[in-house]
Amino acid sequence: MDGDVAVGVKRGSDELNMYSSSPNSLTANGSDSKKQRLEESPPSRVLHIRKLPNEVSETEVIALGLPFGKVTNILMLKGKNQAFLELGTEEAAITMVNYYTAVTPQVRNTPVFIQYSNHKELKTDSALNQRAQAVLQAVSAVQDGSSPSSDPGVLDLAPPPSPVLRIIIDNMFYPVTLDVLQQIFSKFGTVMKIITFTKNNQFQALLQFSDPVNAQQAKLSLDGQNIYNSCCTLRIDFSKLVNLNVKYNNDKSRDYTRPDLPTGDGETANKDHSLLGAISPLSAAAAAAAAAGRVALSGSGVSGVLLASNLNEEMVTPQSLFTLFGVYGDVQRVKILYNKKDSALIQLSDGNQAQLAMSHLNGQKVFGKVMRVTLSKHQTVALPREGLDDQLLTKDFSGSPLHRFKKPGSKNFQNIFPPSATLHLSNVRDGLGEDDLRLLFSNSGGTVKAFKFFQDRKMALIQMTSVEEAIQTLMDLHNYDMGGNHHLKVSFSKSTI
């Protein structure tokens, strides 16, 4: 462990006065200070965390910072429900504050506030707070891949028994897929293999890292954390197995070291299995928050309304935005702003869906322009009074039959992928051939590079020349009426042809 890591109670309570909840400090989620006066609280590698729940542990506070870099010091003010966290670098602290500006940080499902401290480092007396010292030393040791010192009174971490973790998910109200597990756990090291199964009516997984130390670090950080807000709690133990034998690469099992394995349905597996294949800029932060357990989709306190900007105002319509954002959630209302027609508000069913849509669509090219997607301060999108929306800029989709996620446990939950050049088609009408579908997609303004029917010919993969073209054709042709009451269903695919 680094010799300069000291933890404990701060000397002299008079020094704490400057830490009282100053409204001038930048809060990471903004809702607690009336003005975010950045110039009055310059970035610091020491962060002040407030409104922590009672009885919170050092490990839980450290977990907030872990995904962003090395945590070098911690000071708990339990009586005040506050803590100070010192990160190894100012850059790590800035990344952490910026990330938690978009996603409300949570500890035990309670929103907490994070801001830069006025101090540049924490000076603490290690003799007075051995528990915090022990926790931080254990975490540091796991991060460094060394074993912590065996000083008396310090947590002694036994060497990790296995690179394989057994994961049980409690309160599984949202589906958890193999790709979601890969995204969360790969923050801690190389995930080599995953097998998922249901046992005693519970979703479980075995996940193998390349190194037991990575497994130990993941267990230390993630055990007891929620994947989604208030549900899908991770229970993590070491498995007695030290190596997993994966026969097939499909949605139940995956060997990332062997992309050539068959899928188990007679076809060889697709090349690109990673959920993170082409996620936009938030993905690293989403994965980081995922690792801390505040996860990609912590929806509490986040409204379901998004602001999309830098749109092509000549081309965009409420319907096209409904179709595109509808890939990631059930869009209730869309409003193109009257005075700023390159921007629109999109209201989804909840904050989880809004986070998902934002993380996948921010930075994507739509109608030739790079779209920006952020969380809106609005809680809902207001409908105009009758007769006032003569330009048809606002549309209510709340009763739409096209919502993909209305049914709990719908298969669509497992088929959410980042925008990709390859599209998955389903509900293809009998008698329609490859040439018909190629023609349909070419007429939508794109060029078809490759095509493949599934065995039953009701589903197919079609590859366009770019992600932008695929986005365009999805907006044009999802729910396209092929006659005979057959409406084509189009979504992004994780596969390549």
Side-chain angles (χ1 to χ4, degrees), residues 286-358:
R294 249 74 17 220
V295 178
L297 310 163
S298 160
S300 152
V302 175
S303 90
V305 181
L306 296 172
L307 173 67
S309 55
N310 200 37
L311 302 170
N312 181 333
E313 54 187 272
E314 303 296 314
M315 304 288 289
V316 75
T317 63
Q319 183 67 46
S320 60
L321 292 172
F322 166 76
T323 304
L324 179 57
F325 282 77
V327 173
Y328 300 105
D330 291 338
V331 175
Q332 304 298 315
R333 293 174 180 177
V334 178
K335 179 195 284 282
I336 294 173
L337 302 186
Y338 183 80
N339 296 325
K340 200 172 182 325
K341 292 196 174 62
D342 71 344
S343 300
L345 293 171
I346 297 114
Q347 181 181 336
L348 290 105
S349 290
D350 59 38
N352 287 332
Q353 293 182 358
Q355 291 279 3
L356 200 59
M358 176 173 74

Side-chain angles (χ1 to χ4, degrees), residues 119-179:
H119 272 210
K120 292 297 179 194
E121 63 177 318
L122 276 183
K123 295 186 179 69
T124 51
D125 186 341
S126 58
L128 295 175
N129 195 347
Q130 281 203 330
R131 180 188 152 75
Q133 169 106 32
V135 170
L136 191 61
Q137 188 170 351
V139 171
S140 298
V142 172
Q143 273 192 312
D144 294 342
S146 61
S147 59
S149 77
S150 51
D151 290 349
V154 168
L155 233 61
D156 193 19
L157 284 188
S162 162
V164 180
L165 296 175
R166 185 186 64 145
I167 301 155
I168 296 176
I169 298 183
D170 287 338
N171 306 322
M172 193 159 133
F173 302 135
Y174 269 93
V176 174
T177 64
L178 184 143
D179 287 314

Side-chain angles (χ1 to χ4, degrees), residues 80-294:
K80 291 187 167 187
N81 297 80
Q82 297 180 16
F84 296 94
L85 201 62
E86 181 186 275
L87 278 82
T89 64
E90 199 172 282
E91 289 75 22
I94 293 169
T95 306
M96 179 169 164
V97 168
N98 287 350
Y99 177 70
Y100 287 131
T101 304
V103 175
T104 306
Q106 302 216 343
V107 176
R108 299 194 182 187
N109 299 323
T110 307
V112 298
F113 296 97
I114 300 178
Q115 61 200 41
Y116 297 119
S117 162
N118 302 338
H119 272 210
K120 292 297 179 194
E121 63 177 318
L122 276 183
K123 295 186 179 69
T124 51
D125 186 341
S126 58
L128 295 175
N129 195 347
Q130 281 203 330
R131 180 188 152 75
Q133 169 106 32
V135 170
L136 191 61
Q137 188 170 351
V139 171
S140 298
V142 172
Q143 273 192 312
D144 294 342
S146 61
S147 59
S149 77
S150 51
D151 290 349
V154 168
L155 233 61
D156 193 19
L157 284 188
S162 162
V164 180
L165 296 175
R166 185 186 64 145
I167 301 155
I168 296 176
I169 298 183
D170 287 338
N171 306 322
M172 193 159 133
F173 302 135
Y174 269 93
V176 174
T177 64
L178 184 143
D179 287 314
V180 167
L181 292 175
Q182 194 265 345
Q183 183 180 359
I184 294 168
F185 282 82
S186 60
K187 179 67 192 161
F188 295 90
T190 305
V191 174
M192 298 180 71
K193 304 171 187 178
I194 306 178
I195 297 172
T196 64
F197 53 95
T198 303
K199 186 175 176 184
N200 305 332
N201 286 332
Q202 263 190 322
F203 179 84
Q204 301 194 17
L206 293 168
L207 184 145
Q208 181 175 341
F209 280 101
S210 56
D211 188 324
V213 166
N214 302 136
Q216 186 166 31
Q217 190 180 345
K219 179 178 182 296
L220 192 70
S221 290
L222 295 176
D223 186 29
Q225 300 286 3
N226 293 337
I227 297 184
Y228 300 104
N229 182 52
S230 308
C231 72
C232 303
T233 309
L234 291 163
R235 304 272 172 238
I236 304 172
D237 288 307
F238 287 106
S239 168
K240 293 186 176 64
L241 301 169
V242 291
N243 188 30
L244 298 179
N245 181 24
V246 175
K247 292 190 174 70
Y248 301 116
N249 280 342
N250 53 34
D251 58 359
K252 302 277 190 296
S253 62
R254 195 79 48 85
D255 184 338
Y256 294 94
T257 65
R258 295 203 46 206
D260 56 315
L261 285 177
T263 57
D265 58 6
E267 294 181 32
T268 51
N270 310 308
K271 294 183 200 74
D272 176 23
H273 283 303
S274 165
L275 181 70
L276 293 173
I279 298 190
S280 53
L282 188 75
S283 65
R294 249 74 17 220

Side-chain angles (χ1 to χ4, degrees), residues 337-398:
L337 302 186
Y338 183 80
N339 296 325
K340 200 172 182 325
K341 292 196 174 62
D342 71 344
S343 300
L345 293 171
I346 297 114
Q347 181 181 336
L348 290 105
S349 290
D350 59 38
N352 287 332
Q353 293 182 358
Q355 291 279 3
L356 200 59
M358 176 173 74
S359 69
H360 284 81
L361 293 175
N362 179 39
Q364 294 292 347
K365 234 177 172 188
V366 181
F367 296 125
K369 295 183 75 176
V370 175
M371 177 171 70
R372 294 280 160 238
V373 183
T374 55
L375 293 168
S376 165
K377 59 182 187 296
H378 294 279
Q379 294 300 310
T380 57
V381 170
L383 292 174
R385 291 202 295 279
E386 254 180 82
L388 288 184
D389 187 21
D390 54 353
Q391 297 181 30
L392 304 176
L393 297 177
T394 307
K395 192 147 190 222
D396 185 359
F397 294 98
S398 55

